[in-house]
Amino acid sequence: VAAGFLMSGGGGNDVQWCFSQVKGAIDDDVAEADIISTVEFNHSGELLATGDKGGRVVIFQQEIENKSQQQCRSEYNVYSTFQSHEPEFDYLKSLEIEEKINKIRWLPQKNAAQFLLSTNDKTIKLWKISERDKRPEGYNLKEEDGRYRDAATITTLQVPVFRPMDLMVEASPRRVFANGHTYHINSISVNSDNETYLSADDLRINMWHLEITDRSFNIVDIKPANMEELTEVITAAEFHPHQCNTFVYSSSKGTIRLCDMRASALCDKHSKLFEEPEDPSNRSFFSEIISSISDVKFSHNGRYMMTRDYLSVKIWDLNMENRPVETYQVHEYLRSKLCSLYENDCIFDKFECCWNGNDSVVMTGSYNNFFRMLDRSQRRDVTLEASRESCKPRQVLKPRRVCAGGKRKKDEISVDSLDFNKKILHTAWHPQENIIAVATTNNLYIFQEKVN
Amino acid sequence: MINTMECSVDAQSLISISLRKIHNSRTQRGGIKLHKNLLVSYVLRNARQVYMNEKYAEIYRMQQYEEVMTVCNEIQELNPLDLVDCEEQTGDCCGSATESASLCGALLPVSHQAPSAQHIQPSSACSVPLALQSEEVCKAPDPSFYRSCCAEVYPVSNCDFSPVNSMHCNKTTVLDLDTHVVTTVENGYLHQDCCASLQQCCQGAQSPAKKRKLDFEYYVSEIEEVPDFTPCKRAKFEDSSYASTEPLDTSNISNLISIFGSGFTGLVSRQADLEQALNGQFCSKQALASLGAWTRAIVAF
């Protein structure tokens, strides 16, 4: 693991974060279709994809200003935009299927083209993103605009040649994986074998082969025989980064199950069950809701996994099932506000979380456009804000503090002043560098480590 | 025990808020969200538990007050000088019924604990903590509470859902959630087989009178049933959205309404019976008024 200062991918609090870019409309009137629903870096970090509620995918590409120098600023510019999913109507069930992109996952690059999987509630699609910077010219039978020539006018023969053209990035759907899910898809995860991937809905997890669209394996099914006996649903699932036989899935009851596909074809019986006993003194009307896990992510080294529930982030050692090794409070000051958060539906918000490149820092979002960096190695945490007010180039982000009660200090913000409509649900960390992408409702902020 | 202190709204409001959410989810774009409705059903269950606890406690308090006063009045009629003994007697009875008192004590002030074990039935308040204990019972060997194997799914049984049933009432009408059969239960004695599985919950309450123990089981089975209906109801919404043949919308709402309807109007009718039986004031008027507003609100959905 590189321990260099600049490009280490590590550090949370010795790192100062500064503004780099913001993408999206400036005005406060947010069009619903523009609401960002997923953010994901590709494996090299060169590409950054976002999906939105309108079914659109926008891919940004990093352009290094000066590659030769170590100290460089990189900018992400629009690389490709395409409509991934359209709204559909299931006539049989009288149900509308939203076009919102729930998740995007990149495939590791194998050739010149890039591939990603995008999914809405029901259908997963494999997209090929390829560049075209040359164009064949000099056809014998066709004009330049494509019209066919009158054969009688052809008197000479020439060999068509490739000539340079303006770069064009094309996105084409290569596979459509449909009709695999009765319930709403919440996760997709590409396997380390680069041949298969899993998709998870509320009650089932399917495994697909990337080449085969008309069949999938059902590997987990928690639907009870009698739906009236349903007590929990699957909330997230992910393949292990190195072991292609291992995956985990989290539940609405706050448990995580690790499954080994070598054990049986149907992994209804888990190999490991990760669960922390509930603190009975904290029991409230909303205990079940706040213990529901909204995201689960393996660490890059494959030894840990992180879970996010409404108020906290937990780091689990895969070898210890009975409790997490670390627990971080994201916004504990909300515990006394759960009732209002239930009334305005905020308590159902599904926050995601992510690791940095060397697994030393984790990040997750909160309200008021705040996001939290939790440094595991130094046991420190910081709250930062994605705001248009801190948008001057290279402006360093100032730590924010929330006053839970009592006297509010200068520069602190009180809990009652928090804007619960401004939530950061989706964040992503560059796999190697200290570059982060933070999605507010309809804007994408890119922050970088301060470079002297 | 659910901590209600941090909640700014009471259990009653939470129930109506939750019902509204379930109703709204049916018209949301993208279909019914199974996960969200499941979570809402848990809040509904928790709020209902608290609400029922509060109601039981209230009714129990009033009953005990009424009974003690009746006893004292009777004694007074016999011999005015025995008035003092009456109070002593209740004190003794409170002291003797320590086993059940420990259960009731959690909820009730000391002065209202069960007096004589012979003829006074404990009322549902004593069984109330058992519902809360049910989660702990299944974890008895392990002091930690693990949500994953908690008995939150109550076994589908013939124990029918019905709310507070005063022991003085002769008839109870209940609706079976599984078979949708309406049955009438006499004298508060329900099918013993379905209560047998819950006997372990009653072990903490060593009641000398056999009649009392049966009442325990009956009440325990009631309360055990209380949470049962919520996953059922949410599931009914879910099933209808994913089944092509079942009619949507109205049947589900009417199911939910019929559950609440039978529950709360059942409560209303029983309290009316009780009023007649005791021939005294009853605090139910307030409860009745609020419940009436509830059923009206539910029907409006």
Side-chain angles (χ1 to χ4, degrees), chain A residues 96 99 182-184 227-228 231 275 277-278 283 285 288 292 339 342-343 345 350, chain B residues 3 7 18 21 29-30 32 35-36 42 45-46 145 147-148 153 235-236 238-239 242:
Chain A
E96 195 180 358
E99 67 277 27
T182 309
Y183 303 95
H184 294 125
M227 275 300 282
E228 293 169 356
T231 57
E275 185 178 20
E278 188 195 16
R283 185 132 175 75
F285 289 114
E288 285 83 4
S292 176
C339 210
Y342 178 70
E343 286 184 79
D345 271 1
K350 293 186 181 156
Chain B
N3 177 9
C7 190
S18 302
K21 286 188 193 297
R29 225 182 137 226
I32 293 174
H35 184 200
K36 183 178 177 185
Y42 278 119
R45 180 201 68 169
N46 293 339
F145 172 44
R147 201 182 291 284
S148 63
V153 175
K236 282 227 173 336
E238 186 280 326
D239 271 359
Y242 292 102

mmCIF file of all heavy atoms in Angstrom, chain A residues 96 99 182-184 227-228 231 275 277-278 283 285 288 292 339 342-343 345 350, chain B residues 3 7 18 21 29-30 32 35-36 42 45-46 145 147-148 153 235-236 238-239 242:
data_model
loop_
_atom_site.group_PDB
_atom_site.id
_atom_site.type_symbol
_atom_site.label_atom_id
_atom_site.label_comp_id
_atom_site.label_asym_id
_atom_site.label_seq_id
_atom_site.Cartn_x
_atom_site.Cartn_y
_atom_site.Cartn_z
ATOM 1 N N GLU A 96 -46.656 0.871 -12.485
ATOM 2 C CA GLU A 96 -45.705 1.658 -13.244
ATOM 3 C C GLU A 96 -44.308 1.337 -12.732
ATOM 4 O O GLU A 96 -44.098 1.207 -11.525
ATOM 5 C CB GLU A 96 -45.990 3.141 -13.073
ATOM 6 C CG GLU A 96 -45.271 3.969 -14.107
ATOM 7 C CD GLU A 96 -45.527 5.447 -13.963
ATOM 8 O OE1 GLU A 96 -46.301 5.822 -13.076
ATOM 9 O OE2 GLU A 96 -44.944 6.209 -14.739
ATOM 10 N N GLU A 99 -38.167 4.745 -13.924
ATOM 11 C CA GLU A 99 -36.945 4.710 -14.726
ATOM 12 C C GLU A 99 -35.715 5.098 -13.904
ATOM 13 O O GLU A 99 -34.594 5.065 -14.405
ATOM 14 C CB GLU A 99 -37.083 5.636 -15.944
ATOM 15 C CG GLU A 99 -37.173 7.120 -15.612
ATOM 16 C CD GLU A 99 -38.575 7.579 -15.241
ATOM 17 O OE1 GLU A 99 -39.373 6.756 -14.742
ATOM 18 O OE2 GLU A 99 -38.870 8.782 -15.435
ATOM 19 N N THR A 182 -39.235 -9.928 -9.266
ATOM 20 C CA THR A 182 -40.611 -9.557 -8.972
ATOM 21 C C THR A 182 -40.656 -8.299 -8.108
ATOM 22 O O THR A 182 -41.565 -7.486 -8.222
ATOM 23 C CB THR A 182 -41.319 -10.691 -8.201
ATOM 24 O OG1 THR A 182 -41.126 -11.906 -8.896
ATOM 25 C CG2 THR A 182 -42.792 -10.416 -8.058
ATOM 26 N N TYR A 183 -39.692 -8.162 -7.233
ATOM 27 C CA TYR A 183 -39.670 -7.044 -6.307
ATOM 28 C C TYR A 183 -38.642 -6.018 -6.783
ATOM 29 O O TYR A 183 -38.017 -6.185 -7.809
ATOM 30 C CB TYR A 183 -39.396 -7.564 -4.884
ATOM 31 C CG TYR A 183 -40.417 -8.586 -4.474
ATOM 32 C CD1 TYR A 183 -40.184 -9.951 -4.623
ATOM 33 C CD2 TYR A 183 -41.660 -8.183 -3.985
ATOM 34 C CE1 TYR A 183 -41.149 -10.878 -4.299
ATOM 35 C CE2 TYR A 183 -42.620 -9.111 -3.646
ATOM 36 C CZ TYR A 183 -42.362 -10.459 -3.815
ATOM 37 O OH TYR A 183 -43.330 -11.367 -3.501
ATOM 38 N N HIS A 184 -38.478 -4.953 -6.026
ATOM 39 C CA HIS A 184 -37.634 -3.846 -6.479
ATOM 40 C C HIS A 184 -36.159 -4.141 -6.277
ATOM 41 O O HIS A 184 -35.722 -4.435 -5.172
ATOM 42 C CB HIS A 184 -38.005 -2.560 -5.736
ATOM 43 C CG HIS A 184 -39.371 -2.074 -6.049
ATOM 44 N ND1 HIS A 184 -40.306 -1.827 -5.075
ATOM 45 C CD2 HIS A 184 -39.983 -1.802 -7.228
ATOM 46 C CE1 HIS A 184 -41.436 -1.417 -5.650
ATOM 47 N NE2 HIS A 184 -41.261 -1.398 -6.950
ATOM 48 N N MET A 227 -46.891 -14.917 2.917
ATOM 49 C CA MET A 227 -46.366 -13.551 2.977
ATOM 50 C C MET A 227 -46.737 -12.830 4.259
ATOM 51 O O MET A 227 -46.101 -11.859 4.649
ATOM 52 C CB MET A 227 -46.861 -12.737 1.782
ATOM 53 C CG MET A 227 -46.026 -12.899 0.529
ATOM 54 S SD MET A 227 -44.311 -12.412 0.756
ATOM 55 C CE MET A 227 -44.438 -10.640 0.691
ATOM 56 N N GLU A 228 -47.746 -13.326 4.929
ATOM 57 C CA GLU A 228 -48.127 -12.698 6.183
ATOM 58 C C GLU A 228 -47.076 -12.915 7.246
ATOM 59 O O GLU A 228 -47.093 -12.268 8.282
ATOM 60 C CB GLU A 228 -49.481 -13.239 6.641
ATOM 61 C CG GLU A 228 -50.597 -12.805 5.689
ATOM 62 C CD GLU A 228 -51.887 -13.535 5.972
ATOM 63 O OE1 GLU A 228 -51.895 -14.423 6.846
ATOM 64 O OE2 GLU A 228 -52.883 -13.219 5.316
ATOM 65 N N THR A 231 -41.021 -10.866 7.875
ATOM 66 C CA THR A 231 -40.549 -9.969 8.916
ATOM 67 C C THR A 231 -39.334 -9.159 8.496
ATOM 68 O O THR A 231 -38.987 -8.192 9.159
ATOM 69 C CB THR A 231 -40.158 -10.744 10.186
ATOM 70 O OG1 THR A 231 -39.163 -11.717 9.837
ATOM 71 C CG2 THR A 231 -41.341 -11.434 10.793
ATOM 72 N N GLU A 275 -24.440 -9.849 13.574
ATOM 73 C CA GLU A 275 -25.513 -9.125 14.241
ATOM 74 C C GLU A 275 -25.042 -8.626 15.584
ATOM 75 O O GLU A 275 -24.379 -9.347 16.324
ATOM 76 C CB GLU A 275 -26.729 -10.033 14.425
ATOM 77 C CG GLU A 275 -27.924 -9.318 15.002
ATOM 78 C CD GLU A 275 -29.127 -10.225 15.134
ATOM 79 O OE1 GLU A 275 -28.943 -11.452 15.148
ATOM 80 O OE2 GLU A 275 -30.246 -9.695 15.243
ATOM 81 N N PRO A 277 -26.267 -7.303 19.281
ATOM 82 C CA PRO A 277 -27.482 -7.279 20.101
ATOM 83 C C PRO A 277 -27.969 -5.860 20.312
ATOM 84 O O PRO A 277 -27.178 -4.924 20.393
ATOM 85 C CB PRO A 277 -27.037 -7.925 21.419
ATOM 86 C CG PRO A 277 -25.566 -7.920 21.408
ATOM 87 C CD PRO A 277 -25.110 -7.849 19.999
ATOM 88 N N GLU A 278 -29.277 -5.736 20.392
ATOM 89 C CA GLU A 278 -29.867 -4.414 20.551
ATOM 90 C C GLU A 278 -29.732 -3.952 21.991
ATOM 91 O O GLU A 278 -29.824 -4.746 22.912
ATOM 92 C CB GLU A 278 -31.342 -4.487 20.163
ATOM 93 C CG GLU A 278 -32.026 -3.140 20.098
ATOM 94 C CD GLU A 278 -33.542 -3.268 20.082
ATOM 95 O OE1 GLU A 278 -34.048 -4.342 20.414
ATOM 96 O OE2 GLU A 278 -34.211 -2.280 19.761
ATOM 97 N N ARG A 283 -34.733 1.322 23.233
ATOM 98 C CA ARG A 283 -35.880 0.892 22.447
ATOM 99 C C ARG A 283 -36.910 2.017 22.312
ATOM 100 O O ARG A 283 -37.283 2.670 23.272
ATOM 101 C CB ARG A 283 -36.489 -0.335 23.131
ATOM 102 C CG ARG A 283 -37.586 -0.953 22.369
ATOM 103 C CD ARG A 283 -37.441 -2.465 22.237
ATOM 104 N NE ARG A 283 -38.632 -2.982 21.579
ATOM 105 C CZ ARG A 283 -38.864 -2.854 20.287
ATOM 106 N NH1 ARG A 283 -37.965 -2.286 19.538
ATOM 107 N NH2 ARG A 283 -39.977 -3.311 19.757
ATOM 108 N N PHE A 285 -40.260 3.582 19.422
ATOM 109 C CA PHE A 285 -41.198 3.209 18.362
ATOM 110 C C PHE A 285 -40.456 2.876 17.071
ATOM 111 O O PHE A 285 -40.922 2.108 16.255
ATOM 112 C CB PHE A 285 -42.144 4.374 18.065
ATOM 113 C CG PHE A 285 -43.153 4.641 19.142
ATOM 114 C CD1 PHE A 285 -43.121 5.820 19.864
ATOM 115 C CD2 PHE A 285 -44.139 3.726 19.440
ATOM 116 C CE1 PHE A 285 -44.048 6.072 20.858
ATOM 117 C CE2 PHE A 285 -45.088 3.968 20.430
ATOM 118 C CZ PHE A 285 -45.039 5.151 21.140
ATOM 119 N N GLU A 288 -36.928 -0.447 14.936
ATOM 120 C CA GLU A 288 -36.784 -1.311 13.770
ATOM 121 C C GLU A 288 -36.335 -0.518 12.557
ATOM 122 O O GLU A 288 -35.531 -0.981 11.747
ATOM 123 C CB GLU A 288 -38.115 -2.003 13.444
ATOM 124 C CG GLU A 288 -38.480 -3.142 14.388
ATOM 125 C CD GLU A 288 -39.135 -2.654 15.664
ATOM 126 O OE1 GLU A 288 -39.372 -1.439 15.779
ATOM 127 O OE2 GLU A 288 -39.422 -3.486 16.544
ATOM 128 N N SER A 292 -32.440 -0.792 10.382
ATOM 129 C CA SER A 292 -32.413 -1.326 9.017
ATOM 130 C C SER A 292 -31.145 -0.840 8.312
ATOM 131 O O SER A 292 -30.827 0.349 8.342
ATOM 132 C CB SER A 292 -33.661 -0.850 8.266
ATOM 133 O OG SER A 292 -33.613 -1.276 6.918
ATOM 134 N N CYS A 339 -39.187 11.085 15.725
ATOM 135 C CA CYS A 339 -40.618 11.198 15.480
ATOM 136 C C CYS A 339 -40.903 12.132 14.308
ATOM 137 O O CYS A 339 -41.671 11.792 13.399
ATOM 138 C CB CYS A 339 -41.293 11.704 16.742
ATOM 139 S SG CYS A 339 -42.951 11.097 16.879
ATOM 140 N N TYR A 342 -39.843 10.665 11.156
ATOM 141 C CA TYR A 342 -40.783 9.647 10.675
ATOM 142 C C TYR A 342 -41.943 10.322 9.947
ATOM 143 O O TYR A 342 -42.370 9.891 8.887
ATOM 144 C CB TYR A 342 -41.293 8.806 11.843
ATOM 145 C CG TYR A 342 -42.312 7.757 11.457
ATOM 146 C CD1 TYR A 342 -41.946 6.639 10.716
ATOM 147 C CD2 TYR A 342 -43.645 7.870 11.847
ATOM 148 C CE1 TYR A 342 -42.880 5.667 10.370
ATOM 149 C CE2 TYR A 342 -44.572 6.904 11.506
ATOM 150 C CZ TYR A 342 -44.194 5.803 10.775
ATOM 151 O OH TYR A 342 -45.117 4.848 10.422
ATOM 152 N N GLU A 343 -42.426 11.397 10.531
ATOM 153 C CA GLU A 343 -43.553 12.086 9.919
ATOM 154 C C GLU A 343 -43.223 12.620 8.544
ATOM 155 O O GLU A 343 -44.025 12.538 7.617
ATOM 156 C CB GLU A 343 -44.004 13.242 10.828
ATOM 157 C CG GLU A 343 -44.757 12.785 12.067
ATOM 158 C CD GLU A 343 -45.252 13.957 12.883
ATOM 159 O OE1 GLU A 343 -46.275 14.543 12.505
ATOM 160 O OE2 GLU A 343 -44.607 14.278 13.898
ATOM 161 N N ASP A 345 -40.933 11.492 6.582
ATOM 162 C CA ASP A 345 -40.379 10.395 5.779
ATOM 163 C C ASP A 345 -38.861 10.375 5.683
ATOM 164 O O ASP A 345 -38.306 9.509 5.009
ATOM 165 C CB ASP A 345 -40.952 10.401 4.350
ATOM 166 C CG ASP A 345 -42.228 9.589 4.256
ATOM 167 O OD1 ASP A 345 -42.671 9.047 5.298
ATOM 168 O OD2 ASP A 345 -42.790 9.502 3.157
ATOM 169 N N LYS A 350 -32.127 6.348 2.523
ATOM 170 C CA LYS A 350 -31.124 5.287 2.485
ATOM 171 C C LYS A 350 -29.770 5.893 2.153
ATOM 172 O O LYS A 350 -29.470 6.190 0.994
ATOM 173 C CB LYS A 350 -31.518 4.246 1.434
ATOM 174 C CG LYS A 350 -32.766 3.507 1.826
ATOM 175 C CD LYS A 350 -33.114 2.382 0.889
ATOM 176 C CE LYS A 350 -34.405 1.736 1.375
ATOM 177 N NZ LYS A 350 -35.146 1.057 0.366
ATOM 178 N N ASN B 3 -39.609 3.055 24.918
ATOM 179 C CA ASN B 3 -39.446 4.339 25.561
ATOM 180 C C ASN B 3 -40.229 5.373 24.767
ATOM 181 O O ASN B 3 -39.888 5.704 23.636
ATOM 182 C CB ASN B 3 -37.950 4.688 25.597
ATOM 183 C CG ASN B 3 -37.697 6.056 26.190
ATOM 184 O OD1 ASN B 3 -38.602 6.680 26.729
ATOM 185 N ND2 ASN B 3 -36.471 6.519 26.093
ATOM 186 N N CYS B 7 -40.638 10.656 22.118
ATOM 187 C CA CYS B 7 -41.507 10.854 20.968
ATOM 188 C C CYS B 7 -42.441 12.017 21.225
ATOM 189 O O CYS B 7 -43.103 12.089 22.252
ATOM 190 C CB CYS B 7 -42.299 9.571 20.697
ATOM 191 S SG CYS B 7 -43.156 9.647 19.138
ATOM 192 N N SER B 18 -49.154 6.377 10.575
ATOM 193 C CA SER B 18 -48.672 5.172 9.907
ATOM 194 C C SER B 18 -49.697 4.652 8.907
ATOM 195 O O SER B 18 -49.353 4.245 7.797
ATOM 196 C CB SER B 18 -48.349 4.093 10.932
ATOM 197 O OG SER B 18 -47.398 4.556 11.855
ATOM 198 N N LYS B 21 -49.580 6.639 5.852
ATOM 199 C CA LYS B 21 -48.428 6.309 5.004
ATOM 200 C C LYS B 21 -48.708 5.053 4.182
ATOM 201 O O LYS B 21 -48.390 4.977 2.999
ATOM 202 C CB LYS B 21 -47.181 6.095 5.855
ATOM 203 C CG LYS B 21 -46.580 7.372 6.402
ATOM 204 C CD LYS B 21 -45.241 7.104 7.069
ATOM 205 C CE LYS B 21 -44.775 8.281 7.875
ATOM 206 N NZ LYS B 21 -44.540 9.485 7.066
ATOM 207 N N ARG B 29 -45.823 6.301 -7.224
ATOM 208 C CA ARG B 29 -45.269 5.828 -8.479
ATOM 209 C C ARG B 29 -44.275 4.697 -8.225
ATOM 210 O O ARG B 29 -43.510 4.750 -7.276
ATOM 211 C CB ARG B 29 -44.519 6.981 -9.142
ATOM 212 C CG ARG B 29 -44.831 7.104 -10.596
ATOM 213 C CD ARG B 29 -44.032 8.213 -11.243
ATOM 214 N NE ARG B 29 -43.560 7.724 -12.523
ATOM 215 C CZ ARG B 29 -42.330 7.859 -12.972
ATOM 216 N NH1 ARG B 29 -41.435 8.483 -12.269
ATOM 217 N NH2 ARG B 29 -41.997 7.376 -14.141
ATOM 218 N N GLY B 30 -44.297 3.710 -9.072
ATOM 219 C CA GLY B 30 -43.319 2.637 -8.935
ATOM 220 C C GLY B 30 -43.838 1.456 -8.152
ATOM 221 O O GLY B 30 -43.138 0.476 -7.967
ATOM 222 N N ILE B 32 -45.977 -0.427 -4.766
ATOM 223 C CA ILE B 32 -45.840 -0.436 -3.309
ATOM 224 C C ILE B 32 -44.422 -0.837 -2.933
ATOM 225 O O ILE B 32 -43.892 -1.824 -3.429
ATOM 226 C CB ILE B 32 -46.850 -1.420 -2.707
ATOM 227 C CG1 ILE B 32 -48.256 -0.891 -2.927
ATOM 228 C CG2 ILE B 32 -46.578 -1.626 -1.230
ATOM 229 C CD1 ILE B 32 -49.324 -1.844 -2.515
ATOM 230 N N HIS B 35 -40.292 -2.711 1.446
ATOM 231 C CA HIS B 35 -39.421 -2.405 2.572
ATOM 232 C C HIS B 35 -40.016 -1.312 3.435
ATOM 233 O O HIS B 35 -40.130 -1.436 4.656
ATOM 234 C CB HIS B 35 -38.041 -1.981 2.045
ATOM 235 C CG HIS B 35 -37.037 -1.726 3.113
ATOM 236 N ND1 HIS B 35 -35.897 -0.976 2.904
ATOM 237 C CD2 HIS B 35 -36.969 -2.113 4.408
ATOM 238 C CE1 HIS B 35 -35.196 -0.921 4.018
ATOM 239 N NE2 HIS B 35 -35.827 -1.603 4.943
ATOM 240 N N LYS B 36 -40.438 -0.238 2.816
ATOM 241 C CA LYS B 36 -40.951 0.880 3.595
ATOM 242 C C LYS B 36 -42.221 0.479 4.347
ATOM 243 O O LYS B 36 -42.383 0.807 5.523
ATOM 244 C CB LYS B 36 -41.239 2.074 2.681
ATOM 245 C CG LYS B 36 -41.706 3.306 3.440
ATOM 246 C CD LYS B 36 -41.947 4.488 2.517
ATOM 247 C CE LYS B 36 -42.484 5.655 3.341
ATOM 248 N NZ LYS B 36 -42.855 6.801 2.518
ATOM 249 N N TYR B 42 -44.020 -2.000 11.515
ATOM 250 C CA TYR B 42 -43.388 -2.160 12.826
ATOM 251 C C TYR B 42 -43.715 -0.985 13.739
ATOM 252 O O TYR B 42 -43.957 -1.156 14.933
ATOM 253 C CB TYR B 42 -41.871 -2.313 12.676
ATOM 254 C CG TYR B 42 -41.437 -3.724 12.338
ATOM 255 C CD1 TYR B 42 -40.756 -4.010 11.167
ATOM 256 C CD2 TYR B 42 -41.729 -4.784 13.199
ATOM 257 C CE1 TYR B 42 -40.362 -5.297 10.852
ATOM 258 C CE2 TYR B 42 -41.344 -6.077 12.890
ATOM 259 C CZ TYR B 42 -40.662 -6.328 11.714
ATOM 260 O OH TYR B 42 -40.280 -7.617 11.413
ATOM 261 N N ARG B 45 -47.179 -1.489 14.915
ATOM 262 C CA ARG B 45 -47.240 -2.482 15.970
ATOM 263 C C ARG B 45 -46.764 -1.906 17.296
ATOM 264 O O ARG B 45 -47.395 -2.080 18.329
ATOM 265 C CB ARG B 45 -46.383 -3.690 15.584
ATOM 266 C CG ARG B 45 -46.397 -4.784 16.637
ATOM 267 C CD ARG B 45 -45.203 -5.683 16.497
ATOM 268 N NE ARG B 45 -43.980 -4.987 16.824
ATOM 269 C CZ ARG B 45 -42.799 -5.592 16.995
ATOM 270 N NH1 ARG B 45 -42.721 -6.885 16.866
ATOM 271 N NH2 ARG B 45 -41.730 -4.897 17.279
ATOM 272 N N ASN B 46 -45.652 -1.218 17.258
ATOM 273 C CA ASN B 46 -45.110 -0.647 18.489
ATOM 274 C C ASN B 46 -46.083 0.361 19.095
ATOM 275 O O ASN B 46 -46.316 0.381 20.302
ATOM 276 C CB ASN B 46 -43.760 0.046 18.217
ATOM 277 C CG ASN B 46 -42.682 -0.937 17.821
ATOM 278 O OD1 ASN B 46 -42.786 -2.121 18.111
ATOM 279 N ND2 ASN B 46 -41.654 -0.450 17.151
ATOM 280 N N PHE B 145 -30.515 -9.170 23.442
ATOM 281 C CA PHE B 145 -31.697 -9.270 22.612
ATOM 282 C C PHE B 145 -31.263 -9.247 21.156
ATOM 283 O O PHE B 145 -30.777 -8.249 20.665
ATOM 284 C CB PHE B 145 -32.616 -8.095 22.925
ATOM 285 C CG PHE B 145 -33.766 -8.001 21.977
ATOM 286 C CD1 PHE B 145 -34.475 -9.124 21.601
ATOM 287 C CD2 PHE B 145 -34.128 -6.785 21.448
ATOM 288 C CE1 PHE B 145 -35.534 -9.032 20.721
ATOM 289 C CE2 PHE B 145 -35.186 -6.684 20.564
ATOM 290 C CZ PHE B 145 -35.877 -7.799 20.205
ATOM 291 N N ARG B 147 -32.393 -9.381 17.404
ATOM 292 C CA ARG B 147 -33.595 -9.132 16.640
ATOM 293 C C ARG B 147 -33.886 -10.240 15.652
ATOM 294 O O ARG B 147 -35.006 -10.511 15.310
ATOM 295 C CB ARG B 147 -33.424 -7.805 15.888
ATOM 296 C CG ARG B 147 -34.697 -7.176 15.459
ATOM 297 C CD ARG B 147 -34.375 -5.909 14.678
ATOM 298 N NE ARG B 147 -33.832 -4.870 15.508
ATOM 299 C CZ ARG B 147 -34.569 -4.138 16.325
ATOM 300 N NH1 ARG B 147 -35.848 -4.328 16.420
ATOM 301 N NH2 ARG B 147 -34.016 -3.186 17.043
ATOM 302 N N SER B 148 -32.807 -10.894 15.192
ATOM 303 C CA SER B 148 -33.000 -11.809 14.063
ATOM 304 C C SER B 148 -33.884 -12.990 14.406
ATOM 305 O O SER B 148 -34.642 -13.450 13.588
ATOM 306 C CB SER B 148 -31.652 -12.304 13.558
ATOM 307 O OG SER B 148 -31.004 -13.039 14.585
ATOM 308 N N VAL B 153 -42.646 -12.769 14.609
ATOM 309 C CA VAL B 153 -43.723 -13.351 13.829
ATOM 310 C C VAL B 153 -44.501 -14.225 14.766
ATOM 311 O O VAL B 153 -43.984 -15.194 15.296
ATOM 312 C CB VAL B 153 -43.167 -14.204 12.677
ATOM 313 C CG1 VAL B 153 -44.294 -14.899 11.961
ATOM 314 C CG2 VAL B 153 -42.381 -13.328 11.714
ATOM 315 N N ALA B 235 -48.674 -7.195 4.302
ATOM 316 C CA ALA B 235 -48.495 -8.249 3.309
ATOM 317 C C ALA B 235 -49.680 -8.284 2.370
ATOM 318 O O ALA B 235 -49.554 -8.537 1.200
ATOM 319 C CB ALA B 235 -48.320 -9.590 4.003
ATOM 320 N N LYS B 236 -50.838 -8.013 2.886
ATOM 321 C CA LYS B 236 -52.004 -8.047 2.027
ATOM 322 C C LYS B 236 -51.879 -6.983 0.951
ATOM 323 O O LYS B 236 -52.223 -7.185 -0.192
ATOM 324 C CB LYS B 236 -53.265 -7.807 2.858
ATOM 325 C CG LYS B 236 -53.703 -9.033 3.620
ATOM 326 C CD LYS B 236 -55.188 -9.245 3.435
ATOM 327 C CE LYS B 236 -55.768 -10.522 4.000
ATOM 328 N NZ LYS B 236 -54.919 -11.619 4.192
ATOM 329 N N GLU B 238 -49.130 -5.906 -0.203
ATOM 330 C CA GLU B 238 -48.049 -6.340 -1.091
ATOM 331 C C GLU B 238 -48.548 -7.413 -2.019
ATOM 332 O O GLU B 238 -48.330 -7.384 -3.204
ATOM 333 C CB GLU B 238 -46.885 -6.823 -0.221
ATOM 334 C CG GLU B 238 -45.631 -7.163 -0.993
ATOM 335 C CD GLU B 238 -45.694 -8.520 -1.628
ATOM 336 O OE1 GLU B 238 -46.309 -9.412 -1.020
ATOM 337 O OE2 GLU B 238 -45.173 -8.696 -2.732
ATOM 338 N N ASP B 239 -49.251 -8.363 -1.436
ATOM 339 C CA ASP B 239 -49.728 -9.467 -2.256
ATOM 340 C C ASP B 239 -50.622 -8.972 -3.373
ATOM 341 O O ASP B 239 -50.548 -9.423 -4.495
ATOM 342 C CB ASP B 239 -50.514 -10.464 -1.376
ATOM 343 C CG ASP B 239 -49.592 -11.507 -0.789
ATOM 344 O OD1 ASP B 239 -48.394 -11.452 -1.095
ATOM 345 O OD2 ASP B 239 -50.074 -12.375 -0.049
ATOM 346 N N TYR B 242 -48.824 -7.604 -6.300
ATOM 347 C CA TYR B 242 -48.038 -8.511 -7.129
ATOM 348 C C TYR B 242 -48.842 -9.689 -7.647
ATOM 349 O O TYR B 242 -48.336 -10.524 -8.353
ATOM 350 C CB TYR B 242 -46.812 -9.016 -6.350
ATOM 351 C CG TYR B 242 -45.839 -7.887 -6.106
ATOM 352 C CD1 TYR B 242 -45.761 -7.261 -4.874
ATOM 353 C CD2 TYR B 242 -45.039 -7.423 -7.136
ATOM 354 C CE1 TYR B 242 -44.900 -6.208 -4.666
ATOM 355 C CE2 TYR B 242 -44.173 -6.375 -6.923
ATOM 356 C CZ TYR B 242 -44.102 -5.785 -5.692
ATOM 357 O OH TYR B 242 -43.231 -4.750 -5.492
#
